[in-house]
Each structure stands twice: as C-alpha cells, then as structure tokens.
Amino acid sequence: MLPTLDRQTRLLVIAPHPDDETIGAGGLLQQVREAGGEVRIWLLTDGDNNPWPQRWLERRIWIGQAARERWGRRRRAEVVQAMSALGLAPEQLEGFSWPDMGLTGLLRGQFAAMLTLFEARLRAWCPNVVVLPDLGDRHPDHGTAHVLTRLALAREALSPTLLTYLVHGGAAAQQAEVLPSSDAYQAAKRQAMEAHASQLALSGTRMRRLIERPETFTCLEAARSGPLLSRQLPWSPPVWLQPGLRLTLAGSVGVRRWSWRRAPLVRDREGRWALIAEATPDTGPYFVKLHMDLPSPWIFDTWGWHEIS
Ligand SMILES: [Zn+2]
C-alpha cells in the first residue's frame, strides 16, 4: 500500500540520471511537498554519457572529456529547472557525479567507498520513504542504484517504506500501485519534463509518453534481512554461452565476480543453478548479476540483477 503523506514524511528519491526524478516520481514529489513533508533527490550521475543527443544539439561528432563535462553541467541545470517546476528548491538536490553508464563498474571496483558515502548521507537524512529504481529495470545504472541503496539501508539497519519505479523495459510488477494524481500535478510534471530539453531533442515522443502514463510504484517489504531461504538463480544459460558469462554477487560485506565456470554454483536434478551456501555467509540481502563482457552498442541489460532471498 502506498504510504500516507503528511508532515512527518521524509522522502528520498534515488535518480540515477537527470530526468529520472521527474519520470519516476514527479507527482509524488509534489504531493509530499504539499503535505508538508520533506524531500531530497539524490542524483547519482550527471547524465554526461549521452552522446547522441549531444552530437545532435551541439553539431559535433567527437565528444572529448571537456565536452562531456559540459553536457553533464547542462543536464544538472535541467534537473534544477525541473525541480523548480515541481515546487522544489535547488538545495533539495544532492549530486554524486558518479560516471554515467558506469555505476556497475564502480560498484565492482569501489564498493566500500560508494557504500560509505551512501551510508553517511542516509544517516544524515534519515528518510522514512525511499523511492528507488526497480531491480528489474533494464538500464544497468538503474538496477545497480537499487542494489546500492538496498545494501546501504541494510547496513544502517534502516527500514523506510521502499517504493520502486520502472523506466526501462518490462511491465511493472502486478502488485504495482498507481499514485492518484490531478490535472495540476500532471501539468507541473509536464512542465518539469520540458525542462529536460536535451532529452526531448531526439526522444521527445518517448519521453512525453513516459510522463503521460500513470505514476506507478511497487512497494517492497521493509528492507528484507535475515537467513536466506533459497539461493537459486533464475537463469539457465545454454552451454555454448557459458564461457563468455560473468556472475557478480553483491552483499553488505562486498562484491565478488567470477566467470560462470568458476562461480560457486551447484546444479540440482531439474537443472536449476544455485549458489552454494558458503558464497553467502552473512544475512541478506544479496544480489546477483549475470552479464557478458563484450563491447556492444546495446546499453541495456539482457539478464540484469536478481535478489537472492
Ligand atoms: Zn535513468
């Protein structure tokens, strides 16, 4: 059930990129503000790795570091303008400036530093409602943002209401709930989307369609933690694909990665794969990701993350 919004509400919205705050929670942000609650948006990246709109709008082919940083500043300014349309002040935004399209790599390489920063900010803000990307979102930064948020909350022993939103791919879970809206909220949300002008240049139709759909959240049970009931994986990759596959396991104590063949897995009689018990010695949550390390123009995840519960 969606939480009651009032003056006690302390909402945190996790946005991997500029525009996720508006698409994912543009209506909710306004409603919490009107109810007298408090709001923070954590912007994990500046959306600087966004070459096609940049090539189009800046009339350039080659994008070097300086151009990329400039684009990030532009998108960051667009978020502030979008927030103003939603009735929010720039101080309600906290930026992390992590690499766009690089959150999964950062999680593997700098897990402790990322988690420490997240935990410190969580302790300081103490949200009682956290809106975060759906674990099943096909954009790798979105799935990883979910994992990072869940692990930091578990380590801090915080259990706010968790609401997930889905931007890329798949249908929302069956138990997803629609946030009631009004013409005024919807008009402000549209205006906020128009502030993200860099994203409308090439994808205006898709972005406006995302804004017009009902705002929908899936309520997760309070940060699950406790003994694991099943370590089963949802994937059964064919043998010919296995040499190229990598398995990443993220838990509150760290992140590990193996080739599929070396991963600590067992197979049951029905052919289903599961992690061995020694791979997950602590209480959950744990998350696994299956992926291939091949250069590809396709940015979206084929398998993505899965929660071991
Ligand atoms: Zn995004």
Side-chain angles (χ1 to χ4, degrees):
M1 215 170 69
L2 294 176
T4 308
L5 308 176
D6 56 28
R7 297 182 64 181
Q8 267 69 51
T9 304
R10 294 175 68 79
L11 171 68
L12 171 62
V13 173
I14 307 287
H17 311 104
D19 75 19
D20 289 321
E21 78 299 328
T22 298
I23 295 169
L28 183 65
L29 283 161
Q30 296 178 70
Q31 294 187 28
V32 172
R33 190 209 68 215
E34 289 224 333
E38 297 203 58
V39 165
R40 283 288 181 282
I41 296 169
W42 287 5
L43 181 64
L44 305 191
T45 80
D46 292 340
D48 51 309
N49 187 2
N50 184 217
W52 289 106
Q54 186 170 6
R55 285 187 184 116
W56 175 256
L57 287 175
E58 294 188 353
R59 303 281 180 229
R60 61 166 68 234
I61 299 292
W62 170 249
I63 297 168
Q65 188 59 27
R68 188 171 154 160
E69 285 169 12
R70 183 177 60 243
W71 190 258
R73 286 194 296 276
R74 173 179 181 154
R75 294 198 65 189
R76 182 98 166 228
E78 289 176 348
V79 181
V80 172
Q81 215 188 323
M83 288 173 65
S84 162
L86 300 172
L88 304 173
E91 302 77 62
Q92 289 168 289
L93 179 73
E94 286 186 52
F96 288 71
S97 295
W98 282 330
D100 184 10
M101 275 304 291
L103 292 188
T104 311
L106 203 63
L107 188 84
R108 287 197 203 107
Q110 294 178 42
F111 176 75
M114 271 178 121
L115 208 58
T116 303
L117 181 58
F118 240 60
E119 284 170 20
R121 291 197 178 177
L122 279 173
R123 265 197 306 279
W125 174 242
C126 255
N128 53 21
V129 180
V130 175
V131 167
L132 70 166
D134 196 282
L135 188 64
D137 194 294
R138 289 293 177 193
H139 192 300
D141 284 345
H142 282 235
T144 296
H146 180 109
V147 170
L148 179 68
T149 308
R150 295 283 307 282
L151 293 178
L153 286 168
R155 285 232 306 210
E156 285 297 304
L158 293 171
S159 13
T161 301
L162 296 178
L163 304 176
T164 70
Y165 66 92
L166 186 67
V167 178
H168 308 275
Q174 274 184 336
Q175 66 272 30
E177 290 183 63
V178 172
L179 180 78
S181 188
S182 70
D183 289 347
Y185 288 139
Q186 190 55 30
K189 195 169 160 176
R190 263 181 222 126
Q191 204 193 330
M193 189 70 241
E194 295 302 317
H196 291 287
S198 67
Q199 302 309 293
L200 299 174
L202 292 183
S203 314
T205 307
R206 187 177 78 86
M207 304 307 271
R208 291 189 179 99
R209 198 172 58 227
L210 287 171
I211 285 298
E212 293 307 328
R213 68 182 188 176
E215 202 164 299
T216 305
F217 299 99
T218 303
C219 190
L220 289 187
E221 292 165 41
R224 272 168 280 173
S225 130
L228 302 178
L229 298 176
S230 160
R231 294 177 181 79
Q232 201 173 305
L233 304 185
W235 313 291
S236 289
V239 175
W240 61 268
L241 201 56
Q242 290 173 9
L245 293 176
R246 300 280 179 277
L247 192 73
T248 299
L249 174 68
S252 56
V253 294
V255 177
R256 300 186 64 190
R257 187 159 81 131
W258 306 270
S259 66
W260 178 266
R261 294 250 164 98
R262 288 178 178 272
L265 297 172
V266 286
R267 207 169 184 194
D268 70 11
R269 283 188 196 152
E270 280 80 46
R272 293 171 303 202
W273 294 94
L275 286 166
I276 62 171
E278 291 73 24
T280 55
D282 303 288
T283 55
Y286 278 96
F287 300 90
V288 278
K289 182 183 174 84
L290 183 64
H291 54 102
M292 278 182 107
D293 282 340
L294 290 179
S296 160
W298 180 248
I299 65 166
F300 295 111
D301 275 334
T302 308
W303 299 282
W305 287 97
H306 169 74
E307 183 173 357
I308 300 281
S309 56

